[in-house]
Amino acid sequence: MELVRKNIHMDRIKGQASTQITLEDDINILDSKPDASRLIYDRGNVALEEIKVTEDHVTVRGKLQFLVMYLAEGEKPVPACMEGSLPFDEQIYVEGVQSGDGANVKWNLEDITVGLINSRKLSIQALISLKVCSEVMYDEETAVDLYHEEPVEYRKKPLRIAQMTVKKRDIFRMKEELELPQNLPNISQIIWQSVEPENVEFRALEGRISIQGDLNAFFLYEGEGEEAAIKSYETTVPFNGTVDCTGCDEGMAADIDYTLGAKDVEVRPDFDGEQRVFAMELVMDLDISLYEEERLDILSGVYGVVKEVEAVSKPAQFKGLFARTSGKTKIADRMKLTSSDAPPIVQILHSEAQIQAEEGEIVENGIHIKGAVNIQTLYMSSDEKAPYSSVKGSIPFQYVLDVPDIGNGCTFKIQTGLEQLAVTMLDGGELDVKAVIVCRGIVFEHKQENIVTDIVVSDLDMNKLSSLPGIVIYIAKEGDSLWDVGKRYYVPISQIKETNDMTTEEIRPGDKLLIVKGISN
């Protein structure tokens, strides 16, 4: 007798932990930059440079990158830009991890505050949360059939699994060129830029992964000419492409995270030789996990009819794909100028938003997600001393992502994105904000099943066999199955069905079964 085995490749979380770090420093404005009179706008980003795993610890090295727009001192205040970075080196305790294990680190910039100490110095304060997750790949060798020559009865149990087929990191490069409309002047220099991918979706295809989304671009620039007027240009363009991926196939479940890596923007001439083209090159760092859904019939029991046959089993953990789901919810609120010295709004130039979502919670038939959308709007004012300014606001939200029959034994990953952000003026001191939050989730269920690891065959215990009657009328009890009855009397299920003229294996409490022993002592 020989077991037929199948190797199942899965992943599991070995350890995870979260922490928060605070960064604070004073930064001198570069000598090449003009003096600052007033802060206008700011943005922060976290770049992870090294992740090192040692025993029970993960060390994360990186830097906070900041970009600050301010008004330069002078009779005619004009915007200028200052950029820099603050390094960090954080050791995080993660029980159970060892040197050589892999670790994923997700960051969230909880808060960044920029202050103006004097005309040549800025204060930077930031709160960053880091979430570390160490995942390991493992193989579970599972018996799915039994090769035998002598008579034996065995049964199988259906099991749905999510087998890990691809686990890797890769990059996706995109190049786009944006030419200014004819009504805008040529570009002398870029003052501020914002180029961000949004609504990014991934789909598994044969041998590759499809990527598509929108690229939102905003530029504040100094135009050519005697007046050197400050102009802005904003647009959204779709992008798409593919990344080669060996082992990928259409229909696989894709769990892909991305972060924006290198970003380069330069001004290039158009066909007429005029500086009117923004040339952009972006790199998206991809963390790719692909799962193949599979239904297996695993060996769950065996008994002999001419020999004593015993199955040796052990408990094993299996991961199955429970659901892939998505949903949308709308938010709407108003933002007011809160500072008494804030100049009144005349024209909105640009708005951007980031979602800060808390850990989701499993509720009845869904996942409860809550957090806030942090919004910053750059605008022009009628105040000659402060022609540019900004307003910040935060809109809380909560939403239940529909997942029917989800249970506490499930785990999930949620990705959030923003669509249709619209910020409009109500008056000089108030803005109306509307947006749609998109939530995408992948849900896994985790099961423990006993799997057969070996078969032990021995001679029948003749004393035990002789104690059993040669013919018996068995009255089925609650929970009985033909398997239980056949195993008890060493009789094949097919023989019981034939003797009792049965077409199915279904029995109910109180049913009478004629059992004729197949082997005599």
Side-chain angles (χ1 to χ4, degrees), residues 155 474 476-487 493 496 505-507 513:
R155 61 180 176 179
Y474 182 82
K477 298 183 288 295
E478 185 72 38
D480 273 347
S481 67
L482 282 193
W483 172 272
D484 300 319
V485 178
K487 184 177 181 180
I493 291 175
I496 300 176
E505 294 186 11
E506 182 181 355
I507 58 174
L513 301 174

Side-chain angles (χ1 to χ4, degrees), residues 199-442:
N199 307 323
V200 182
E201 294 185 7
F202 302 92
R203 189 160 63 93
L205 302 175
E206 186 176 355
R208 66 193 193 280
I209 294 170
S210 166
I211 306 171
Q212 63 180 21
D214 296 320
L215 195 62
N216 291 342
F218 169 76
F219 301 96
L220 191 69
Y221 72 95
E222 181 182 309
E224 287 183 350
E226 296 181 0
E227 296 183 0
I230 305 300
K231 296 293 182 180
S232 65
Y233 175 59
E234 185 169 25
T235 190
T236 299
V237 293
F239 70 86
N240 62 77
T242 60
V243 172
D244 291 338
C245 184
T246 303
C248 181
D249 203 357
E250 190 168 358
M252 287 184 176
D255 178 16
I256 302 176
D257 290 325
Y258 78 91
T259 55
L260 193 59
K263 179 169 56 177
D264 182 57
V265 179
E266 63 178 25
V267 179
R268 292 180 184 172
D270 61 9
F271 287 113
D272 297 326
E274 297 181 323
Q275 299 292 100
R276 301 187 58 79
V277 177
F278 295 105
M280 304 172 294
E281 183 172 353
L282 291 82
V283 175
M284 293 172 64
D285 296 316
L286 309 179
D287 184 6
I288 302 171
S289 298
L290 295 180
Y291 298 88
E292 185 174 21
E293 297 179 72
E294 188 172 354
R295 182 188 183 279
L296 289 179
D297 290 325
I298 64 171
L299 199 64
S300 61
V302 60
Y303 71 85
V305 294
V306 296
K307 292 280 188 178
E308 197 76 58
V309 180
E310 182 182 359
V312 180
S313 62
K314 70 168 187 177
Q317 299 292 332
F318 292 93
K319 181 176 182 178
L321 181 62
F322 186 79
R324 284 182 286 178
T325 184
S326 63
K328 297 181 180 182
T329 184
K330 295 180 180 180
I331 60 168
D333 206 344
R334 294 183 176 184
M335 292 195 306
K336 293 183 179 181
L337 301 182
T338 55
S339 175
S340 59
D341 66 341
I345 304 167
V346 171
Q347 179 186 349
I348 295 174
L349 295 178
H350 173 63
S351 295
E352 59 185 39
Q354 289 80 39
I355 299 176
Q356 287 191 345
E358 301 176 10
E359 290 287 337
E361 179 186 4
I362 293 176
V363 295
E364 185 177 0
N365 291 322
I367 301 170
H368 184 226
I369 305 164
K370 62 180 180 178
V373 179
N374 297 327
I375 301 162
Q376 186 174 202
T377 295
L378 175 68
Y379 66 88
M380 291 183 66
S381 169
S382 57
D383 189 338
E384 293 183 356
K385 294 182 179 180
Y388 297 90
S389 189
S390 68
V391 56
K392 292 183 178 180
S394 183
I395 302 175
F397 74 91
Q398 56 180 334
Y399 174 65
V400 176
L401 185 61
D402 188 36
V403 188
D405 301 322
I406 188 173
N408 291 326
C410 293
T411 59
F412 57 87
K413 292 183 180 180
I414 301 294
Q415 293 179 338
T416 56
L418 210 62
E419 288 182 355
Q420 304 172 30
L421 175 63
V423 181
T424 56
M425 279 183 58
L426 295 175
D427 55 40
E430 191 172 18
L431 301 173
D432 183 67
V433 181
K434 291 184 174 65
V436 175
I437 299 173
V438 181
C439 301
R440 297 185 180 92
I442 183 168

Side-chain angles (χ1 to χ4, degrees), residues 3 33 36 53 76 271 394 401 435 471 516:
L3 292 173
K33 299 289 185 178
V53 181
K76 185 179 180 182
F271 287 113
S394 183
L401 185 61
I471 299 178
V516 179

Side-chain angles (χ1 to χ4, degrees), residues 51 59 106 108 116 142 182 221 294 345 400 447 463:
I51 301 170
T59 300
K106 304 299 180 187
N108 187 27
L116 186 61
T142 307
Q182 290 299 317
Y221 72 95
E294 188 172 354
I345 304 167
V400 176
K447 297 179 179 180
N463 290 329

Side-chain angles (χ1 to χ4, degrees), residues 100-151:
D101 289 345
N104 293 325
V105 179
K106 304 299 180 187
W107 61 266
N108 187 27
L109 184 56
E110 302 278 353
D111 182 60
I112 181 169
T113 303
V114 182
L116 186 61
I117 298 174
N118 57 49
S119 62
R120 302 302 304 172
K121 184 174 288 187
L122 305 174
S123 67
I124 309 292
Q125 296 177 322
L127 179 64
I128 302 170
S129 64
L130 300 174
K131 182 178 180 180
V132 181
C133 181
S134 176
E135 295 179 323
V136 295
M137 304 298 111
Y138 70 100
D139 294 317
E140 194 67 74
E141 196 174 55
T142 307
V144 295
D145 211 339
L146 180 66
Y147 173 76
H148 60 96
E149 293 181 349
E150 55 274 282

